[in-house]
């Protein structure tokens, strides 16, 4: 009960962190950057998941991911026993992925611009739903066929500990606390850094309940 109250208090108290934190040459944390558009983003997620519900995919090794996922935009990311890929059609519905909402496009572009990547116009958006205990192992975002464009990642709801590694899986990692409304942008020399999420701690957030939502934008080469 104590943890739940503390999470809700974080949501209500003013955020006194700096507006921008340079993590590395091409990586920037923008604390609270998405808060102004949070409710619009939650409504957009609800509409997307009516067309493309969250599902837990399987890794090439055969294990089921602990994170539930869906996508929107021209391309969606999928994981199967055959590997990872981007598709124009949702394999679970045989329909195109839902359109990317204007609020998503605008927010992703503004965040990228603030981080120094003014020409970012994403064509793929991954939406991850983390329940308590869900995690994301260290990985690189390299299925896009383009490393010249950055990755923009929005966090809503429960706090998460983001693992920020190096260009090799064995490199040391830093732990970065992500709160509701925080945005991470990485590209340039840091585009292929390994990264992940530690298991989400149990709690309740006023915006998302017992969930952390992560909305990640990429550009996929066509």
């Amino acid at each position: 009960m104590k943890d739940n109250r503390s999470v809700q208090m974080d949501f209500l108290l003013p955020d006194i962190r700096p507006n921008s934190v340079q993590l590395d040459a091409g990586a920037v944390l923008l604390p609270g950057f998405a808060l102004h558009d949070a409710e619009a983003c939650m409504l957009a997620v609800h509409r997307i998941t009516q067309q493309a519900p969250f599902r837990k995919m399987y890794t090439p090794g055969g294990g089921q991911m602990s994170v539930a996922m869906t996508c929107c935009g021209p391309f969606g990311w999928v994981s199967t026993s055959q590997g990872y890929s981007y598709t124009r059609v949702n394999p679970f519905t045989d329909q195109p992925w839902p359109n990317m909402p204007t609020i998503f496009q605008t927010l992703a572009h503004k965040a990228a611009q603030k981080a120094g990547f003014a020409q970012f116009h994403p064509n793929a958006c991954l939406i991850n739903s983390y329940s308590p205990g869900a995690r994301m192992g260290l990985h690189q975002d390299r299925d896009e066929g383009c490393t010249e464009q950055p990755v923009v990642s929005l966090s809503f709801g429960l706090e998460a500990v983001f693992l920020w590694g190096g260009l090799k899986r064995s490199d040391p990692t830093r732990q970065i606390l992500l709160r509701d409304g925080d945005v991470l942008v990485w590209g340039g020399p840091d585009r292929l850094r390994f990264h992940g999420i530690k298991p989400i701690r149990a709690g309740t957030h006023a915006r998302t309940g017992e969930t952390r939502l992560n909305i990640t934008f990429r550009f996929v080469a066509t």
Side-chain angles (χ1 to χ4, degrees):
M1 192 67 170
K2 182 179 179 181
D3 287 343
N4 292 354
R5 284 199 300 267
S6 67
V7 172
Q8 290 180 352
M9 284 178 63
D10 284 344
F11 171 69
L12 295 172
L13 290 173
D15 195 335
I16 59 174
R17 294 174 295 168
N19 293 329
S20 178
V21 180
Q22 195 80 35
L23 302 178
D24 278 297
V28 180
L29 170 64
L30 304 174
F33 187 84
L35 281 177
H36 179 75
D37 298 305
E39 292 308 316
C41 287
M42 295 303 95
L43 181 59
V45 169
H46 175 73
R47 289 173 175 168
I48 290 165
T49 54
Q50 295 302 298
Q51 303 176 56
F54 283 116
R55 297 180 186 274
K56 290 186 178 180
M57 300 185 191
Y58 286 85
T59 66
Q64 189 178 45
M65 299 176 66
S66 62
V67 178
M69 180 182 295
T70 190
C71 300
C72 67
F75 292 95
W77 184 89
V78 297
S79 175
T80 68
S81 58
Q82 283 73 48
Y84 308 120
S85 64
Y86 282 92
T87 66
R88 291 184 178 272
V89 173
N90 182 347
F92 301 107
T93 64
D94 291 326
Q95 298 295 318
W97 296 101
N99 292 332
M100 191 184 302
T102 300
I103 184 63
F104 281 11
Q105 299 177 45
T106 301
L107 189 52
H109 178 70
K110 286 182 177 179
Q113 187 175 41
K114 186 173 180 63
F117 301 97
Q119 304 305 314
F120 182 55
H121 297 284
N123 60 3
C125 173
L126 286 62
I127 307 171
N128 295 331
S129 177
Y130 289 78
S131 299
R135 60 183 292 274
M136 186 71 71
L138 286 176
H139 65 283
Q140 294 172 301
D141 293 338
R142 59 183 311 143
D143 301 318
E144 296 76 28
C146 173
T147 58
E148 297 175 357
Q149 295 290 323
V151 174
V152 175
S153 178
L154 282 58
S155 292
F156 292 109
L158 292 181
E159 293 179 348
V161 176
F162 182 78
L163 299 174
W164 180 242
L167 297 177
K168 296 185 295 183
R169 189 184 299 274
S170 59
D171 287 343
T173 60
R174 283 183 279 166
Q175 298 188 14
I176 300 164
L177 181 65
L178 297 179
R179 295 175 175 170
D180 182 54
D182 286 356
V183 179
L184 271 172
V185 183
W186 66 92
D190 300 305
R191 176 62 176 76
L192 289 179
R193 280 184 179 263
F194 279 87
H195 56 281
I197 294 287
K198 293 188 69 174
I200 300 296
R201 294 179 59 184
T204 302
H205 194 277
R207 193 187 311 286
T208 62
E210 298 179 351
T211 304
R212 176 199 182 232
L213 288 175
N214 172 232
I215 305 173
T216 303
F217 302 91
R218 296 116 181 251
F219 178 81
V220 177
T222 57

